[in-house]
Amino acid sequence: MKQGWVDYLAPQIYWHIGFSTAAYEVLTAWWADVVRGTGVQLVIGQAAYRAGASGQDAAWQDPAELSDHLFDNRRHPEVAGDIYFSAKDVKADRIGAFTRVVNAHYTRPALLPARGSAAAPAAPSITSATRVSNGVQLAWTGSATAYAVYRVDGSPPAADPCFFADARNLVTTTRQKTFTDTTAGGPAYTYYVTALNRTHQESAPSTGKAVGSGGGGPFSVVIDNADAGFAAGSAWGTSTYSAQLHGADYRFAPPVAASDPAWFRAAVPIAGNYRVEVWHPADAGYNSATPYIVAASGGNQTVTVDQRTGGGTWRSIGTFPLAAGTYNVVGVSRWTSTTGYVIADAVRITEL
């Protein structure tokens, strides 16, 4: 450790606090003192296998013992984390000891400690942040091993470094370049994304991307056919045939002399006027007069769309007065006299 020959050490401090022969708190303090100033990471090995196991000391029958180890760790900034032996004992969660650890110490995501001296990757760039039926959908570009997504309330004029030091603002880490924040409520937010390399060095944050309030103001929501807000009967098939699709796939059905609509459900925050846009792939074999039903205040309104052309983009079908509440706002009906499949892919509802 003193020579810097190792990246980290994981001493197996498999004894309880106050153990007269080898007390956990004494050994942890000793290791923290030894590692101090060396640049070597200290990760404590924890005896999850002892918690609640028969034949173990009475201290290990206390559900708080493991959790108290981590509270003791907080006295030593040199402790970078913990390793639990073994996975099967973590899963067993005897006497609820690991549930207690999780509730006290692991309620939020965290970044792994960086190792070595590699350069951090370039900052990513958020390309979109849109309210959808189950939260806020983000997408970004970048070249990195993983990414961290941060969320702060409101629309700050600049990125404060404290945003990224406060664990309450870290929403998730992911190896993907898209993420849906299902914990996003009604307030306006600003999102930032950072990039992480293989050894966990973190980039500077992206430029912030603001999302309007879900309870008034610039409300906009996208409902895709794969979202929980979509519902269709068994006659509706699923396809990925067209490259003009929105999301992973879209739905199709032949026309019949019955409505059998596919519905897009949304939470409309306040009564008012909203622009309704639809997204569908286009094909010569699709319907020239697909009926879209809008559940407007005062009664349903129907608009027909030629789905043979104009696909792969948002198409406005008009502005409509909508009531507040969560309900089926837009439907795609099968009741049309023209031939060709009717398509249900996505809708976007925006307050004006």
PDB file of all heavy atoms in Angstrom, residues 126-140:
ATOM      1  N   ILE A 126     -27.391  16.508 -24.052  1.00  0.00           N
ATOM      2  CA  ILE A 126     -28.788  16.063 -24.008  1.00  0.00           C
ATOM      3  C   ILE A 126     -29.495  16.536 -25.275  1.00  0.00           C
ATOM      4  O   ILE A 126     -29.508  17.726 -25.580  1.00  0.00           O
ATOM      5  CB  ILE A 126     -29.505  16.607 -22.759  1.00  0.00           C
ATOM      6  CG1 ILE A 126     -28.794  16.148 -21.481  1.00  0.00           C
ATOM      7  CG2 ILE A 126     -30.962  16.151 -22.736  1.00  0.00           C
ATOM      8  CD1 ILE A 126     -29.394  16.702 -20.201  1.00  0.00           C
ATOM      9  N   THR A 127     -30.088  15.598 -26.009  1.00  0.00           N
ATOM     10  CA  THR A 127     -30.766  15.945 -27.253  1.00  0.00           C
ATOM     11  C   THR A 127     -32.266  16.158 -27.066  1.00  0.00           C
ATOM     12  O   THR A 127     -32.894  16.868 -27.850  1.00  0.00           O
ATOM     13  CB  THR A 127     -30.541  14.857 -28.310  1.00  0.00           C
ATOM     14  OG1 THR A 127     -30.967  13.585 -27.771  1.00  0.00           O
ATOM     15  CG2 THR A 127     -29.065  14.764 -28.680  1.00  0.00           C
ATOM     16  N   SER A 128     -32.851  15.538 -26.036  1.00  0.00           N
ATOM     17  CA  SER A 128     -34.281  15.742 -25.801  1.00  0.00           C
ATOM     18  C   SER A 128     -34.627  15.417 -24.361  1.00  0.00           C
ATOM     19  O   SER A 128     -33.995  14.572 -23.723  1.00  0.00           O
ATOM     20  CB  SER A 128     -35.122  14.863 -26.741  1.00  0.00           C
ATOM     21  OG  SER A 128     -34.915  13.498 -26.474  1.00  0.00           O
ATOM     22  N   ALA A 129     -35.616  16.116 -23.846  1.00  0.00           N
ATOM     23  CA  ALA A 129     -36.180  15.867 -22.519  1.00  0.00           C
ATOM     24  C   ALA A 129     -37.663  16.184 -22.619  1.00  0.00           C
ATOM     25  O   ALA A 129     -38.041  17.357 -22.744  1.00  0.00           O
ATOM     26  CB  ALA A 129     -35.497  16.721 -21.463  1.00  0.00           C
ATOM     27  N   THR A 130     -38.491  15.159 -22.591  1.00  0.00           N
ATOM     28  CA  THR A 130     -39.912  15.315 -22.890  1.00  0.00           C
ATOM     29  C   THR A 130     -40.749  14.612 -21.838  1.00  0.00           C
ATOM     30  O   THR A 130     -40.453  13.477 -21.451  1.00  0.00           O
ATOM     31  CB  THR A 130     -40.246  14.697 -24.265  1.00  0.00           C
ATOM     32  OG1 THR A 130     -39.360  15.239 -25.240  1.00  0.00           O
ATOM     33  CG2 THR A 130     -41.684  15.006 -24.661  1.00  0.00           C
ATOM     34  N   ARG A 131     -41.790  15.273 -21.392  1.00  0.00           N
ATOM     35  CA  ARG A 131     -42.734  14.611 -20.498  1.00  0.00           C
ATOM     36  C   ARG A 131     -43.513  13.558 -21.282  1.00  0.00           C
ATOM     37  O   ARG A 131     -44.041  13.835 -22.354  1.00  0.00           O
ATOM     38  CB  ARG A 131     -43.695  15.614 -19.863  1.00  0.00           C
ATOM     39  CG  ARG A 131     -43.048  16.420 -18.746  1.00  0.00           C
ATOM     40  CD  ARG A 131     -44.082  17.122 -17.886  1.00  0.00           C
ATOM     41  NE  ARG A 131     -43.437  17.839 -16.801  1.00  0.00           N
ATOM     42  CZ  ARG A 131     -43.148  17.303 -15.622  1.00  0.00           C
ATOM     43  NH1 ARG A 131     -43.476  16.038 -15.387  1.00  0.00           N
ATOM     44  NH2 ARG A 131     -42.568  18.014 -14.682  1.00  0.00           N
ATOM     45  N   VAL A 132     -43.563  12.348 -20.728  1.00  0.00           N
ATOM     46  CA  VAL A 132     -44.352  11.261 -21.284  1.00  0.00           C
ATOM     47  C   VAL A 132     -45.327  10.796 -20.211  1.00  0.00           C
ATOM     48  O   VAL A 132     -45.346  11.334 -19.103  1.00  0.00           O
ATOM     49  CB  VAL A 132     -43.445  10.106 -21.768  1.00  0.00           C
ATOM     50  CG1 VAL A 132     -42.610  10.541 -22.960  1.00  0.00           C
ATOM     51  CG2 VAL A 132     -42.542   9.610 -20.643  1.00  0.00           C
ATOM     52  N   SER A 133     -46.129   9.787 -20.543  1.00  0.00           N
ATOM     53  CA  SER A 133     -47.209   9.407 -19.626  1.00  0.00           C
ATOM     54  C   SER A 133     -46.709   8.912 -18.276  1.00  0.00           C
ATOM     55  O   SER A 133     -47.407   9.028 -17.275  1.00  0.00           O
ATOM     56  CB  SER A 133     -48.069   8.326 -20.277  1.00  0.00           C
ATOM     57  OG  SER A 133     -47.297   7.179 -20.568  1.00  0.00           O
ATOM     58  N   ASN A 134     -45.487   8.367 -18.232  1.00  0.00           N
ATOM     59  CA  ASN A 134     -44.996   7.811 -16.966  1.00  0.00           C
ATOM     60  C   ASN A 134     -43.776   8.543 -16.422  1.00  0.00           C
ATOM     61  O   ASN A 134     -43.027   8.002 -15.624  1.00  0.00           O
ATOM     62  CB  ASN A 134     -44.654   6.326 -17.142  1.00  0.00           C
ATOM     63  CG  ASN A 134     -43.581   6.085 -18.200  1.00  0.00           C
ATOM     64  OD1 ASN A 134     -43.408   6.906 -19.096  1.00  0.00           O
ATOM     65  ND2 ASN A 134     -42.879   4.970 -18.111  1.00  0.00           N
ATOM     66  N   GLY A 135     -43.551   9.787 -16.846  1.00  0.00           N
ATOM     67  CA  GLY A 135     -42.424  10.546 -16.303  1.00  0.00           C
ATOM     68  C   GLY A 135     -41.825  11.499 -17.309  1.00  0.00           C
ATOM     69  O   GLY A 135     -42.541  12.167 -18.063  1.00  0.00           O
ATOM     70  N   VAL A 136     -40.493  11.565 -17.323  1.00  0.00           N
ATOM     71  CA  VAL A 136     -39.761  12.414 -18.271  1.00  0.00           C
ATOM     72  C   VAL A 136     -38.784  11.530 -19.028  1.00  0.00           C
ATOM     73  O   VAL A 136     -37.997  10.792 -18.431  1.00  0.00           O
ATOM     74  CB  VAL A 136     -39.002  13.545 -17.551  1.00  0.00           C
ATOM     75  CG1 VAL A 136     -38.109  14.302 -18.536  1.00  0.00           C
ATOM     76  CG2 VAL A 136     -39.985  14.507 -16.881  1.00  0.00           C
ATOM     77  N   GLN A 137     -38.847  11.589 -20.346  1.00  0.00           N
ATOM     78  CA  GLN A 137     -38.010  10.767 -21.215  1.00  0.00           C
ATOM     79  C   GLN A 137     -36.827  11.595 -21.704  1.00  0.00           C
ATOM     80  O   GLN A 137     -36.997  12.677 -22.261  1.00  0.00           O
ATOM     81  CB  GLN A 137     -38.832  10.264 -22.391  1.00  0.00           C
ATOM     82  CG  GLN A 137     -38.163   9.212 -23.246  1.00  0.00           C
ATOM     83  CD  GLN A 137     -39.113   8.709 -24.309  1.00  0.00           C
ATOM     84  OE1 GLN A 137     -39.355   9.379 -25.308  1.00  0.00           O
ATOM     85  NE2 GLN A 137     -39.675   7.528 -24.084  1.00  0.00           N
ATOM     86  N   LEU A 138     -35.606  11.077 -21.487  1.00  0.00           N
ATOM     87  CA  LEU A 138     -34.375  11.769 -21.856  1.00  0.00           C
ATOM     88  C   LEU A 138     -33.623  10.973 -22.916  1.00  0.00           C
ATOM     89  O   LEU A 138     -33.678   9.742 -22.947  1.00  0.00           O
ATOM     90  CB  LEU A 138     -33.455  11.929 -20.643  1.00  0.00           C
ATOM     91  CG  LEU A 138     -33.992  12.671 -19.429  1.00  0.00           C
ATOM     92  CD1 LEU A 138     -33.057  12.481 -18.253  1.00  0.00           C
ATOM     93  CD2 LEU A 138     -34.157  14.145 -19.732  1.00  0.00           C
ATOM     94  N   ALA A 139     -32.898  11.698 -23.764  1.00  0.00           N
ATOM     95  CA  ALA A 139     -31.970  11.085 -24.711  1.00  0.00           C
ATOM     96  C   ALA A 139     -30.762  11.999 -24.830  1.00  0.00           C
ATOM     97  O   ALA A 139     -30.872  13.222 -24.694  1.00  0.00           O
ATOM     98  CB  ALA A 139     -32.634  10.883 -26.071  1.00  0.00           C
ATOM     99  N   TRP A 140     -29.587  11.403 -25.072  1.00  0.00           N
ATOM    100  CA  TRP A 140     -28.370  12.202 -25.178  1.00  0.00           C
ATOM    101  C   TRP A 140     -27.369  11.522 -26.098  1.00  0.00           C
ATOM    102  O   TRP A 140     -27.532  10.348 -26.465  1.00  0.00           O
ATOM    103  CB  TRP A 140     -27.757  12.439 -23.792  1.00  0.00           C
ATOM    104  CG  TRP A 140     -27.409  11.193 -23.042  1.00  0.00           C
ATOM    105  CD1 TRP A 140     -26.251  10.466 -23.096  1.00  0.00           C
ATOM    106  CD2 TRP A 140     -28.254  10.505 -22.095  1.00  0.00           C
ATOM    107  NE1 TRP A 140     -26.319   9.380 -22.259  1.00  0.00           N
ATOM    108  CE2 TRP A 140     -27.520   9.371 -21.638  1.00  0.00           C
ATOM    109  CE3 TRP A 140     -29.527  10.733 -21.606  1.00  0.00           C
ATOM    110  CZ2 TRP A 140     -28.047   8.484 -20.704  1.00  0.00           C
ATOM    111  CZ3 TRP A 140     -30.049   9.845 -20.688  1.00  0.00           C
ATOM    112  CH2 TRP A 140     -29.314   8.748 -20.231  1.00  0.00           C
TER     113      TRP A 140
END
